Amino acid sequence: MRSLLAAGALTLAALAAPQAAHAVPSDTSATCPARAICLWTGVNYSGAQYNWTGGYKDLPAAWRDHSYSFIANRSGGFIDWSGGQKVCRTVAKGNYGAHYDTGFGKKIDGVDNAC
């Protein structure tokens, strides 16, 4: 009975522990300045890097629809202007995506402070 209680307590402790789900993996050499959202043209923070630091910006041509990884050191909004309609994804400080080529990275046209 005691071992069952101990196992239950360990499980509860693990569930209650804070999760670092949005922390940038330590196995990457990618760097992104403080207060910036950095976008790469390749997966796993490879290829050309673009650093956005605030205000609405249309992405340079190489990153438009080709932002395949990112690190957010500030909040912002990723914007797609598909068919003249604004579609936006909120990004929070601490978010990252090593394989954003399977997500909104294939659509992103601009970045702004918020959606």
Side-chain angles (χ1 to χ4, degrees):
M1 179 73 167
R2 283 186 186 205
S3 63
L4 186 56
L5 288 173
L10 286 174
T11 301
L12 280 175
L15 291 173
Q19 300 296 313
H22 296 294
V24 175
S26 60
D27 62 344
T28 179
S29 61
T31 59
C32 183
R35 303 271 313 135
I37 293 178
C38 301
L39 302 154
W40 285 265
T41 56
V43 298
N44 292 321
Y45 319 105
S46 65
Q49 181 176 346
Y50 175 77
N51 299 335
W52 173 84
T53 56
Y56 179 81
K57 299 280 193 250
D58 284 322
L59 288 176
W63 286 266
R64 247 178 267 137
D65 301 329
H66 293 96
S67 294
Y68 291 163
S69 51
F70 76 93
I71 295 173
N73 286 332
R74 62 170 292 159
S75 61
F78 290 164
I79 298 168
D80 171 37
W81 290 109
S82 183
Q85 297 287 328
K86 179 181 178 182
V87 178
C88 190
R89 299 287 184 269
T90 299
V91 181
K93 181 179 180 180
N95 288 163
Y96 68 93
H99 290 274
Y100 210 47
D101 59 321
T102 61
F104 203 68
K106 292 190 295 188
K107 299 178 179 184
I108 187 172
D109 297 316
V111 184
D112 204 351
N113 293 325
C115 284

